[in-house]
Amino acid sequence: MPYPQKSLTSGMSDEAGWRYYSVDEFSSMPKTCKDLQENGQTITGVYDIYPYSTLTIPAIQKRVDGSMIFDRNWADYKNGFGSPEQNVWIGNDVIHKLTKENTSSLYVSITVQNGTTLYEMYDRFSVSDEAGKYQLFLAGPATGTLGDAMLHTGAPNHWDLSGMYFSTPDRDNDGYSGGNCAAGSNIRGGWWFNACHLAFLNGQWSPGSWINPWRPTVTSATSVKGTTMLIRRN
């Protein structure tokens, strides 16, 4: 019987005082196929298991270079991909499980080419489940050195991202009536798009293809050395 291993994990680490999120709430979830059988699952099928639940989940998003392609489909963003030590999207199902109580803060950082790390922190961050299209809920205050490019951007409302559904090149859930933002030639990646974005950390690393990682502070991939998204419980 095939059982997918969903959780990407690594050791503890810190960034700007933020310790990577501990997954204590996964302790009661099945770690092996035997756990499922002992809990009464006797029908052959595909089930989720969480084999690394005693460890910790690192950044929910991390990029250190352009070696990992983030132009991926809905299933990839649902389940997660990459390596926690290098480039990773932890998976929308996991992000939902970590934030569903709406008690988490979000920390976003972009390290630019001169080695300076700019950041923005949001007081409340949560993501709904797949049935809710992984809808983003974000609340302030927003503080930091990047500037707020997600919540209250100062631009028309169609640029703000709170309340938006997750989109991928094969799944259009954005607020843009002219097409699928995630499938655009200058975007090509999964994110919470409105019409379309002033903040987008999953773009193609090529400078000509990744526009506005975090406008107006970082407007091109030529400026980016790395990105990170961290969460912590308040």
Side-chain angles (χ1 to χ4, degrees):
M1 295 186 294
Y3 296 92
Q5 297 184 355
K6 291 292 189 66
S7 298
L8 298 171
T9 57
S10 184
M12 298 292 283
S13 183
D14 289 277
E15 180 171 329
W18 282 61
R19 181 165 287 275
Y20 292 156
Y21 212 102
S22 178
V23 199
D24 293 335
E25 61 265 51
F26 282 6
S27 60
S28 62
M29 294 184 178
K31 301 179 180 64
T32 66
C33 298
K34 182 179 179 181
D35 289 341
L36 285 166
Q37 292 171 340
E38 290 178 348
N39 288 331
Q41 294 288 358
T42 58
I43 300 175
T44 299
V46 177
Y47 301 92
D48 290 350
I49 63 172
Y50 302 86
Y52 307 117
S53 61
T54 59
L55 300 179
T56 58
I57 286 187
I60 62 173
Q61 190 267 14
K62 182 179 180 181
R63 303 184 78 178
V64 299
D65 55 35
S67 61
M68 174 63 63
I69 302 299
F70 277 63
D71 178 5
R72 291 173 177 264
N73 61 24
W74 181 267
D76 284 349
Y77 274 97
K78 166 187 167 69
N79 296 324
F81 55 87
S83 165
E85 292 77 19
Q86 295 292 318
N87 304 284
V88 69
W89 182 262
I90 203 69
N92 288 339
D93 279 350
V94 174
I95 296 173
H96 164 66
K97 289 180 173 70
L98 288 173
T99 65
K100 62 183 179 180
E101 301 300 328
N102 196 27
T103 59
S104 296
S105 297
L106 173 68
Y107 171 93
V108 178
S109 71
I110 297 179
T111 301
V112 294
Q113 289 297 334
N114 67 5
T116 300
T117 296
L118 306 171
Y119 75 93
E120 196 72 13
M121 186 177 76
Y122 294 90
D123 190 58
R124 286 288 187 274
F125 167 78
S126 64
V127 172
S128 71
D129 60 11
E130 186 175 18
K133 303 175 186 177
Y134 301 118
Q135 186 176 22
L136 172 66
F137 296 95
L138 204 62
T143 58
T145 54
L146 265 175
D148 178 12
M150 295 182 73
L151 183 56
H152 300 301
T153 63
N157 288 336
H158 58 268
W159 295 110
D160 297 343
L161 300 185
S162 185
M164 300 312 301
Y165 302 111
F166 200 85
S167 290
T168 54
D170 64 330
R171 193 76 64 91
D172 183 4
N173 295 316
D174 61 40
Y176 179 47
S177 60
N180 182 0
C181 292
S185 60
N186 289 334
I187 299 180
R188 298 299 306 183
W191 194 250
W192 301 276
F193 295 106
N194 196 332
C196 286
H197 74 279
L198 297 177
F200 174 44
L201 299 186
N202 293 338
Q204 301 174 80
W205 202 270
S206 171
S209 301
W210 185 5
I211 306 300
N212 293 335
W214 202 273
R215 186 179 178 90
T217 311
V218 182
T219 59
S220 170
T222 56
S223 304
V224 178
K225 190 175 182 180
T227 71
T228 308
M229 296 174 69
L230 306 174
I231 55 175
R232 74 176 180 191
R233 180 174 292 160
N234 293 323

